[in-house]
Amino acid sequence: MRTGPFASKFAEHGMVCAVDHLAAQAGVQMLQRGGSAADAAVATNAVLAVTTQHMCGLGGDLFALVHVPGDAAPYALNASGRSGSGADLERLRADGHTSVMPLFEDIRSVPVPGCVDGWAALHARFGKLPLREVLEPARLYAADGFPASQTLARAAASVASRPGGEAYAAATHPGAIVRRPGVARTLEAIADGGRDAFYRGEFGRGLLALGAGEYVEDDLLAVNADWVDALSVQAWGRSLWTIPPNSQGYLSLAASWIADGLPLPDDPEDALWAHLLVEAARAASFDRDRVLHENADGAALLDPAVLGPRRDGIRTDAIASYDGERYAGGGTIYLCAVDNDRMGVSLIQSNAAGFGSMLAEPTTGIFLQNRGLGFSVEPGHPAAYGPRRRPPHTLSPALVTADDGSLDMVIGTMGGDAQPQVVLQLLARLLHNGETVGDAIAAPRWVLSGAPPFGNGFDTWQAGGAVQVHLENTAPRSWEPGLRKRGHDVVTHPPLGYNVGHAHAIAVRGESLEAASDPRSLAGNAAGY
């Protein structure tokens, strides 16, 4: 149980939430200078790419939703990278990888990073300030140094002795000053030459060399940023929006639609509240590994004809059975920004797992994602590893609009497979139970993981319905016995001891903005003016 309420923060003109206070402040600076929410989001993400490499960076991918006042639907940006032209499934399987993709220290799990293409696309379409001005706070932190956060200081030793990780030898304790000159050069180059200065410059040349045939030059010339149609459902009297596949964001919407039709208690401390949301998440997600790939039809996955029977099978007294169906620490940041015009940006950016692949482009010190972990190694699978393909993605930003189409909130979290589960709980608390943003963000959570031997945060649905329910031990006392009684396999964890996400949200409240940054991120901030 919480010992008391967690206060929301309020601002009149603009607000930015991020896991690092330096990044949030950089975003607010852009808003104060007349920049848009898109400028603020790029500036915030750029600082995070410097200060929070253990969660995100220029070597990772990006998704974003953008609400523009007066437009019928949010704009959805898919800036996720594709595998290289040299991707060879037969060779990978011959090397012994016949069940899952290699997780670390293997270039084959490194798609071409989409982050910088995402910045360029977002800024070109919705930015107001010069790109150089937007990137300057990040460049200064990289060149002059920044104090290591608590979470960075814990993670730095794992890469300090690796090629490209030398800067992290200085991060011996929170507050230690870390400098990243290679990243400073890279940001300077992007400010001058845009995306080509990154993909065809020092970083791109180093990636080609490190790939040793995994990539060809054309892989880096191709832009990995596409504007796509956002997915939407109606739930709890609002329109909920997310990114279509290859993102798993549809699971947040599907589970919310299912939960909206269940007898969800008015008191979240009731174990039935947790049970029904767990069951909504299971019903939405059990076939994720079979149906999620870059060419999946997101609208079909959200069809009430598909979701309705799943909701009908949920019981209040026991877990549902899906006999005959195949159930086939995270390196991510989520940030959000809203400006004075009420443009809202919901942005998520990631390395996949921690420092990603644990491989860095050595001259710039930019660590490379391992997002290729989402590929299947099963021949003929629609998400099989192969040339120039986007892997299934855990990144799941969300955005909510009111009946009149105005912005209601931007919301999201990090957390691997658990992202849709955390978003579901937040939406239920905010839209069904009417909690404040601060209380909803700080409230105890559950997340699902694959039952042993699974459980690395990216394999939840490989074990099917036999998932474990992981509870923060600050959860209401009724949750654990109530869930066990209904047949759930429950595991408890100390606060901050398990990956239950670092969530943020900004909600429009009349003439003001209400926001909160997750206390679990330790260094996070909701900053406004």
Side-chain angles (χ1 to χ4, degrees):
M1 292 287 293
R2 285 168 291 167
T3 58
F6 182 74
S8 300
K9 292 186 178 180
F10 292 88
E12 178 183 0
H13 300 293
M15 186 77 77
V16 178
C17 294
V19 296
D20 181 80
H21 66 103
L22 300 176
Q25 291 166 6
V28 171
Q29 288 175 14
M30 299 305 121
L31 297 179
Q32 291 173 322
R33 295 173 187 176
S36 68
D39 291 319
V42 174
T44 301
N45 192 185
V47 172
L48 290 168
V50 174
T51 65
T52 317
Q53 173 74 85
H54 58 300
M55 297 183 187
C56 68
L58 287 85
D61 282 349
L62 180 156
F63 291 96
L65 295 162
V66 182
H67 170 81
V68 176
D71 288 359
Y75 298 86
L77 177 62
N78 181 338
S80 62
R82 296 173 173 86
S83 53
S85 294
D88 187 327
L89 180 58
E90 290 186 8
R91 186 187 314 139
L92 184 77
R93 289 177 60 84
D95 288 345
H97 301 287
T98 56
S99 57
V100 295
M101 290 289 292
L103 194 58
F104 300 117
E105 299 181 309
D106 194 313
I107 198 67
R108 292 172 292 192
S109 288
V110 183
V112 174
C115 174
V116 173
D117 271 335
W119 290 353
L122 189 58
H123 180 265
R125 189 162 190 174
F126 297 112
K128 293 182 179 179
L129 301 175
L131 183 60
R132 171 171 289 279
E133 185 173 355
V134 170
L135 297 180
E136 183 62 8
R139 189 199 67 79
L140 285 174
Y141 283 126
D144 297 343
F146 61 91
S149 67
Q150 296 96 318
T151 55
L152 175 59
R154 293 174 185 172
S158 65
V159 296
S161 61
R162 292 177 176 271
E166 295 83 2
Y168 293 105
T172 55
H173 59 274
I177 300 302
V178 178
R179 295 175 177 83
R180 303 186 65 195
V183 176
R185 291 195 307 273
T186 302
L187 291 168
E188 177 78 21
I190 296 169
D192 285 338
R195 64 93 55 196
D196 283 351
F198 179 73
Y199 293 98
R200 304 180 71 176
E202 182 180 8
F203 173 85
R205 292 191 296 271
L207 182 62
L208 286 172
L210 195 62
E214 182 73 5
Y215 319 101
V216 298
E217 187 173 355
D218 284 350
D219 295 335
L220 304 187
L221 298 181
V223 174
N224 288 299
D226 301 302
W227 293 102
V228 295
D229 293 332
L231 293 180
S232 181
V233 299
Q234 296 290 311
W236 294 305
R238 304 288 198 282
S239 295
L240 313 183
W241 301 87
T242 194
I243 300 284
N246 55 321
S247 165
Q248 69 166 352
Y250 78 94
L251 297 178
S252 302
L253 273 55
S256 295
W257 186 91
I258 291 170
D260 187 31
L262 298 175
L264 203 63
D266 292 332
D267 182 4
E269 295 189 9
D270 189 328
L272 180 60
W273 188 91
H275 165 72
L276 290 176
L277 290 182
V278 168
E279 290 297 276
R282 290 178 66 233
S285 308
F286 67 81
D287 58 351
R288 174 200 184 277
D289 288 0
R290 176 166 57 86
V291 302
L292 180 58
H293 53 89
E294 63 178 322
N295 298 313
D297 184 344
L301 295 173
L302 294 174
D303 190 334
V306 173
L307 300 182
R310 300 186 184 195
R311 181 164 65 190
D312 294 342
I314 293 176
R315 299 170 52 181
T316 59
D317 61 338
I319 62 174
S321 172
Y322 299 99
D323 292 341
E325 299 266 20
R326 175 184 180 274
Y327 293 82
T332 301
I333 60 90
Y334 171 76
L335 67 90
C336 48
V338 177
D339 63 26
N340 195 46
D341 295 328
R342 298 310 185 247
M343 173 188 284
V345 176
S346 181
L347 185 151
I348 193 161
Q349 206 262 301
S350 177
N351 298 327
F355 278 94
S357 63
M358 304 296 280
L359 300 173
E361 192 290 305
T363 63
T364 60
I366 294 171
F367 277 83
L368 304 171
Q369 65 180 347
N370 58 344
R371 185 54 64 181
L373 60 81
F375 284 124
S376 171
V377 296
E378 178 186 337
H381 191 288
Y385 172 67
R388 302 289 298 144
R389 306 194 71 181
R390 278 175 163 152
H393 236 287
T394 59
L395 301 188
S396 311
L399 187 149
V400 181
T401 55
D403 287 343
D404 62 1
S406 62
L407 181 66
D408 187 76
M409 70 178 72
V410 283
I411 188 167
T413 184
M414 57 83 85
D417 284 350
Q419 289 178 34
Q421 301 153 34
V422 174
V423 171
L424 169 66
Q425 294 169 76
L426 296 175
L427 291 174
R429 288 183 178 278
L430 291 163
L431 302 181
H432 174 78
N433 296 105
E435 294 192 4
T436 66
V437 175
D439 279 347
I441 292 291
R445 297 180 192 140
W446 54 263
V447 297
L448 306 179
S449 80
F454 301 102
N456 68 11
F458 296 95
D459 54 13
T460 301
W461 305 108
Q462 289 184 25
V467 294
Q468 291 185 325
V469 182
H470 294 256
L471 298 181
E472 292 184 288
N473 68 3
T474 52
R477 292 180 181 177
S478 67
W479 279 16
E480 182 179 357
L483 289 171
R484 290 189 188 278
K485 179 181 178 181
R486 291 172 170 88
H488 296 282
D489 181 5
V490 180
V491 181
T492 60
H493 296 270
L496 307 177
Y498 192 76
N499 182 12
V500 294
H502 297 162
H504 315 292
I506 304 172
V508 179
R509 304 293 192 225
E511 295 182 352
S512 297
L513 300 171
E514 180 190 4
S517 178
D518 203 317
R520 298 166 182 84
S521 67
L522 301 181
N525 191 21
Y529 81 108

PDB file of all heavy atoms in Angstrom, residues 334-358:
ATOM      1  N   TYR A 334      10.314   6.376 -22.169  1.00  0.00           N
ATOM      2  CA  TYR A 334       9.118   7.011 -22.699  1.00  0.00           C
ATOM      3  C   TYR A 334       9.156   8.469 -22.268  1.00  0.00           C
ATOM      4  O   TYR A 334       9.572   8.789 -21.140  1.00  0.00           O
ATOM      5  CB  TYR A 334       7.846   6.350 -22.167  1.00  0.00           C
ATOM      6  CG  TYR A 334       6.603   7.124 -22.541  1.00  0.00           C
ATOM      7  CD1 TYR A 334       6.098   7.053 -23.841  1.00  0.00           C
ATOM      8  CD2 TYR A 334       5.983   7.972 -21.640  1.00  0.00           C
ATOM      9  CE1 TYR A 334       4.995   7.797 -24.215  1.00  0.00           C
ATOM     10  CE2 TYR A 334       4.875   8.716 -21.999  1.00  0.00           C
ATOM     11  CZ  TYR A 334       4.386   8.621 -23.290  1.00  0.00           C
ATOM     12  OH  TYR A 334       3.297   9.380 -23.661  1.00  0.00           O
ATOM     13  N   LEU A 335       8.747   9.375 -23.152  1.00  0.00           N
ATOM     14  CA  LEU A 335       8.636  10.784 -22.807  1.00  0.00           C
ATOM     15  C   LEU A 335       7.387  11.352 -23.465  1.00  0.00           C
ATOM     16  O   LEU A 335       6.863  10.798 -24.439  1.00  0.00           O
ATOM     17  CB  LEU A 335       9.886  11.568 -23.239  1.00  0.00           C
ATOM     18  CG  LEU A 335      10.153  11.717 -24.742  1.00  0.00           C
ATOM     19  CD1 LEU A 335       9.496  12.971 -25.325  1.00  0.00           C
ATOM     20  CD2 LEU A 335      11.650  11.755 -25.021  1.00  0.00           C
ATOM     21  N   CYS A 336       6.898  12.437 -22.915  1.00  0.00           N
ATOM     22  CA  CYS A 336       5.749  13.102 -23.520  1.00  0.00           C
ATOM     23  C   CYS A 336       5.879  14.605 -23.349  1.00  0.00           C
ATOM     24  O   CYS A 336       6.556  15.083 -22.435  1.00  0.00           O
ATOM     25  CB  CYS A 336       4.437  12.584 -22.939  1.00  0.00           C
ATOM     26  SG  CYS A 336       4.358  12.480 -21.138  1.00  0.00           S
ATOM     27  N   ALA A 337       5.229  15.325 -24.252  1.00  0.00           N
ATOM     28  CA  ALA A 337       5.293  16.787 -24.235  1.00  0.00           C
ATOM     29  C   ALA A 337       3.982  17.353 -24.756  1.00  0.00           C
ATOM     30  O   ALA A 337       3.386  16.801 -25.690  1.00  0.00           O
ATOM     31  CB  ALA A 337       6.459  17.288 -25.091  1.00  0.00           C
ATOM     32  N   VAL A 338       3.543  18.448 -24.157  1.00  0.00           N
ATOM     33  CA  VAL A 338       2.370  19.188 -24.614  1.00  0.00           C
ATOM     34  C   VAL A 338       2.740  20.659 -24.619  1.00  0.00           C
ATOM     35  O   VAL A 338       3.346  21.156 -23.659  1.00  0.00           O
ATOM     36  CB  VAL A 338       1.143  18.944 -23.713  1.00  0.00           C
ATOM     37  CG1 VAL A 338      -0.046  19.784 -24.177  1.00  0.00           C
ATOM     38  CG2 VAL A 338       0.766  17.465 -23.698  1.00  0.00           C
ATOM     39  N   ASP A 339       2.404  21.375 -25.698  1.00  0.00           N
ATOM     40  CA  ASP A 339       2.764  22.790 -25.781  1.00  0.00           C
ATOM     41  C   ASP A 339       1.554  23.688 -25.534  1.00  0.00           C
ATOM     42  O   ASP A 339       0.443  23.223 -25.252  1.00  0.00           O
ATOM     43  CB  ASP A 339       3.456  23.097 -27.110  1.00  0.00           C
ATOM     44  CG  ASP A 339       2.567  22.869 -28.334  1.00  0.00           C
ATOM     45  OD1 ASP A 339       1.329  22.945 -28.220  1.00  0.00           O
ATOM     46  OD2 ASP A 339       3.126  22.627 -29.423  1.00  0.00           O
ATOM     47  N   ASN A 340       1.762  24.979 -25.664  1.00  0.00           N
ATOM     48  CA  ASN A 340       0.726  25.957 -25.353  1.00  0.00           C
ATOM     49  C   ASN A 340      -0.463  25.874 -26.304  1.00  0.00           C
ATOM     50  O   ASN A 340      -1.584  26.263 -25.956  1.00  0.00           O
ATOM     51  CB  ASN A 340       1.326  27.365 -25.378  1.00  0.00           C
ATOM     52  CG  ASN A 340       0.430  28.392 -24.723  1.00  0.00           C
ATOM     53  OD1 ASN A 340      -0.095  28.153 -23.631  1.00  0.00           O
ATOM     54  ND2 ASN A 340       0.241  29.525 -25.372  1.00  0.00           N
ATOM     55  N   ASP A 341      -0.224  25.379 -27.521  1.00  0.00           N
ATOM     56  CA  ASP A 341      -1.316  25.201 -28.483  1.00  0.00           C
ATOM     57  C   ASP A 341      -2.062  23.890 -28.282  1.00  0.00           C
ATOM     58  O   ASP A 341      -3.015  23.603 -28.991  1.00  0.00           O
ATOM     59  CB  ASP A 341      -0.767  25.250 -29.918  1.00  0.00           C
ATOM     60  CG  ASP A 341      -0.186  26.606 -30.274  1.00  0.00           C
ATOM     61  OD1 ASP A 341      -0.694  27.628 -29.758  1.00  0.00           O
ATOM     62  OD2 ASP A 341       0.792  26.643 -31.051  1.00  0.00           O
ATOM     63  N   ARG A 342      -1.583  23.080 -27.341  1.00  0.00           N
ATOM     64  CA  ARG A 342      -2.110  21.753 -27.029  1.00  0.00           C
ATOM     65  C   ARG A 342      -1.825  20.736 -28.123  1.00  0.00           C
ATOM     66  O   ARG A 342      -2.566  19.767 -28.285  1.00  0.00           O
ATOM     67  CB  ARG A 342      -3.594  21.800 -26.676  1.00  0.00           C
ATOM     68  CG  ARG A 342      -3.911  22.637 -25.427  1.00  0.00           C
ATOM     69  CD  ARG A 342      -3.020  22.243 -24.247  1.00  0.00           C
ATOM     70  NE  ARG A 342      -3.376  22.951 -23.008  1.00  0.00           N
ATOM     71  CZ  ARG A 342      -2.578  23.853 -22.404  1.00  0.00           C
ATOM     72  NH1 ARG A 342      -1.385  24.151 -22.936  1.00  0.00           N
ATOM     73  NH2 ARG A 342      -2.950  24.415 -21.277  1.00  0.00           N
ATOM     74  N   MET A 343      -0.719  20.960 -28.861  1.00  0.00           N
ATOM     75  CA  MET A 343      -0.124  19.855 -29.590  1.00  0.00           C
ATOM     76  C   MET A 343       0.467  18.923 -28.545  1.00  0.00           C
ATOM     77  O   MET A 343       1.121  19.367 -27.600  1.00  0.00           O
ATOM     78  CB  MET A 343       0.982  20.316 -30.550  1.00  0.00           C
ATOM     79  CG  MET A 343       1.745  19.151 -31.200  1.00  0.00           C
ATOM     80  SD  MET A 343       3.202  19.682 -32.156  1.00  0.00           S
ATOM     81  CE  MET A 343       2.397  20.313 -33.622  1.00  0.00           C
ATOM     82  N   GLY A 344       0.248  17.624 -28.717  1.00  0.00           N
ATOM     83  CA  GLY A 344       0.792  16.651 -27.790  1.00  0.00           C
ATOM     84  C   GLY A 344       1.637  15.627 -28.519  1.00  0.00           C
ATOM     85  O   GLY A 344       1.277  15.187 -29.617  1.00  0.00           O
ATOM     86  N   VAL A 345       2.752  15.238 -27.916  1.00  0.00           N
ATOM     87  CA  VAL A 345       3.627  14.221 -28.487  1.00  0.00           C
ATOM     88  C   VAL A 345       3.827  13.116 -27.460  1.00  0.00           C
ATOM     89  O   VAL A 345       4.193  13.376 -26.307  1.00  0.00           O
ATOM     90  CB  VAL A 345       4.989  14.795 -28.910  1.00  0.00           C
ATOM     91  CG1 VAL A 345       5.921  13.683 -29.403  1.00  0.00           C
ATOM     92  CG2 VAL A 345       4.814  15.850 -29.994  1.00  0.00           C
ATOM     93  N   SER A 346       3.567  11.897 -27.877  1.00  0.00           N
ATOM     94  CA  SER A 346       3.794  10.696 -27.071  1.00  0.00           C
ATOM     95  C   SER A 346       4.892   9.911 -27.775  1.00  0.00           C
ATOM     96  O   SER A 346       4.679   9.384 -28.868  1.00  0.00           O
ATOM     97  CB  SER A 346       2.500   9.878 -26.982  1.00  0.00           C
ATOM     98  OG  SER A 346       2.654   8.721 -26.210  1.00  0.00           O
ATOM     99  N   LEU A 347       6.084   9.847 -27.187  1.00  0.00           N
ATOM    100  CA  LEU A 347       7.272   9.332 -27.879  1.00  0.00           C
ATOM    101  C   LEU A 347       7.952   8.271 -27.024  1.00  0.00           C
ATOM    102  O   LEU A 347       8.135   8.451 -25.820  1.00  0.00           O
ATOM    103  CB  LEU A 347       8.232  10.477 -28.188  1.00  0.00           C
ATOM    104  CG  LEU A 347       9.475  10.157 -29.011  1.00  0.00           C
ATOM    105  CD1 LEU A 347       9.912  11.392 -29.815  1.00  0.00           C
ATOM    106  CD2 LEU A 347      10.649   9.698 -28.151  1.00  0.00           C
ATOM    107  N   ILE A 348       8.344   7.198 -27.670  1.00  0.00           N
ATOM    108  CA  ILE A 348       9.070   6.141 -26.988  1.00  0.00           C
ATOM    109  C   ILE A 348      10.286   5.754 -27.816  1.00  0.00           C
ATOM    110  O   ILE A 348      10.217   5.686 -29.045  1.00  0.00           O
ATOM    111  CB  ILE A 348       8.150   4.930 -26.715  1.00  0.00           C
ATOM    112  CG1 ILE A 348       8.791   3.960 -25.719  1.00  0.00           C
ATOM    113  CG2 ILE A 348       7.710   4.250 -27.992  1.00  0.00           C
ATOM    114  CD1 ILE A 348       7.789   3.028 -25.074  1.00  0.00           C
ATOM    115  N   GLN A 349      11.419   5.537 -27.129  1.00  0.00           N
ATOM    116  CA  GLN A 349      12.679   5.312 -27.830  1.00  0.00           C
ATOM    117  C   GLN A 349      13.515   4.320 -27.040  1.00  0.00           C
ATOM    118  O   GLN A 349      13.506   4.321 -25.816  1.00  0.00           O
ATOM    119  CB  GLN A 349      13.418   6.645 -27.986  1.00  0.00           C
ATOM    120  CG  GLN A 349      14.366   6.702 -29.170  1.00  0.00           C
ATOM    121  CD  GLN A 349      15.799   6.443 -28.778  1.00  0.00           C
ATOM    122  OE1 GLN A 349      16.371   7.145 -27.974  1.00  0.00           O
ATOM    123  NE2 GLN A 349      16.400   5.420 -29.371  1.00  0.00           N
ATOM    124  N   SER A 350      14.236   3.436 -27.739  1.00  0.00           N
ATOM    125  CA  SER A 350      14.722   2.253 -27.046  1.00  0.00           C
ATOM    126  C   SER A 350      15.974   1.654 -27.650  1.00  0.00           C
ATOM    127  O   SER A 350      16.215   1.754 -28.852  1.00  0.00           O
ATOM    128  CB  SER A 350      13.611   1.196 -27.070  1.00  0.00           C
ATOM    129  OG  SER A 350      14.004  -0.009 -26.474  1.00  0.00           O
ATOM    130  N   ASN A 351      16.743   0.979 -26.782  1.00  0.00           N
ATOM    131  CA  ASN A 351      17.812   0.071 -27.209  1.00  0.00           C
ATOM    132  C   ASN A 351      17.338  -1.370 -27.227  1.00  0.00           C
ATOM    133  O   ASN A 351      18.099  -2.248 -27.614  1.00  0.00           O
ATOM    134  CB  ASN A 351      19.000   0.134 -26.236  1.00  0.00           C
ATOM    135  CG  ASN A 351      19.642   1.485 -26.159  1.00  0.00           C
ATOM    136  OD1 ASN A 351      19.686   2.217 -27.124  1.00  0.00           O
ATOM    137  ND2 ASN A 351      20.144   1.824 -24.970  1.00  0.00           N
ATOM    138  N   ALA A 352      16.156  -1.648 -26.746  1.00  0.00           N
ATOM    139  CA  ALA A 352      15.571  -2.969 -26.472  1.00  0.00           C
ATOM    140  C   ALA A 352      15.963  -3.378 -25.062  1.00  0.00           C
ATOM    141  O   ALA A 352      15.203  -3.157 -24.123  1.00  0.00           O
ATOM    142  CB  ALA A 352      15.916  -4.027 -27.499  1.00  0.00           C
ATOM    143  N   ALA A 353      17.144  -3.960 -24.822  1.00  0.00           N
ATOM    144  CA  ALA A 353      17.522  -4.442 -23.496  1.00  0.00           C
ATOM    145  C   ALA A 353      18.719  -3.653 -22.985  1.00  0.00           C
ATOM    146  O   ALA A 353      19.823  -3.771 -23.527  1.00  0.00           O
ATOM    147  CB  ALA A 353      17.868  -5.928 -23.545  1.00  0.00           C
ATOM    148  N   GLY A 354      18.516  -2.827 -21.958  1.00  0.00           N
ATOM    149  CA  GLY A 354      19.626  -2.123 -21.322  1.00  0.00           C
ATOM    150  C   GLY A 354      20.487  -1.361 -22.321  1.00  0.00           C
ATOM    151  O   GLY A 354      20.010  -0.495 -23.044  1.00  0.00           O
ATOM    152  N   PHE A 355      21.778  -1.686 -22.376  1.00  0.00           N
ATOM    153  CA  PHE A 355      22.681  -1.099 -23.360  1.00  0.00           C
ATOM    154  C   PHE A 355      22.508  -1.754 -24.734  1.00  0.00           C
ATOM    155  O   PHE A 355      23.368  -1.625 -25.596  1.00  0.00           O
ATOM    156  CB  PHE A 355      24.128  -1.228 -22.907  1.00  0.00           C
ATOM    157  CG  PHE A 355      24.577  -0.176 -21.921  1.00  0.00           C
ATOM    158  CD1 PHE A 355      24.514  -0.418 -20.553  1.00  0.00           C
ATOM    159  CD2 PHE A 355      25.048   1.053 -22.343  1.00  0.00           C
ATOM    160  CE1 PHE A 355      24.928   0.535 -19.638  1.00  0.00           C
ATOM    161  CE2 PHE A 355      25.467   2.013 -21.441  1.00  0.00           C
ATOM    162  CZ  PHE A 355      25.404   1.758 -20.078  1.00  0.00           C
ATOM    163  N   GLY A 356      21.414  -2.468 -24.932  1.00  0.00           N
ATOM    164  CA  GLY A 356      21.144  -3.092 -26.218  1.00  0.00           C
ATOM    165  C   GLY A 356      21.958  -4.352 -26.414  1.00  0.00           C
ATOM    166  O   GLY A 356      22.022  -5.224 -25.542  1.00  0.00           O
ATOM    167  N   SER A 357      22.606  -4.429 -27.568  1.00  0.00           N
ATOM    168  CA  SER A 357      23.371  -5.623 -27.935  1.00  0.00           C
ATOM    169  C   SER A 357      24.687  -5.747 -27.178  1.00  0.00           C
ATOM    170  O   SER A 357      25.388  -6.746 -27.323  1.00  0.00           O
ATOM    171  CB  SER A 357      23.672  -5.581 -29.435  1.00  0.00           C
ATOM    172  OG  SER A 357      24.486  -4.451 -29.731  1.00  0.00           O
ATOM    173  N   MET A 358      25.045  -4.720 -26.414  1.00  0.00           N
ATOM    174  CA  MET A 358      26.347  -4.604 -25.746  1.00  0.00           C
ATOM    175  C   MET A 358      27.471  -4.367 -26.750  1.00  0.00           C
ATOM    176  O   MET A 358      28.651  -4.419 -26.395  1.00  0.00           O
ATOM    177  CB  MET A 358      26.661  -5.832 -24.883  1.00  0.00           C
ATOM    178  CG  MET A 358      25.605  -6.149 -23.840  1.00  0.00           C
ATOM    179  SD  MET A 358      25.411  -4.863 -22.580  1.00  0.00           S
ATOM    180  CE  MET A 358      26.801  -5.230 -21.514  1.00  0.00           C
TER     181      MET A 358
END
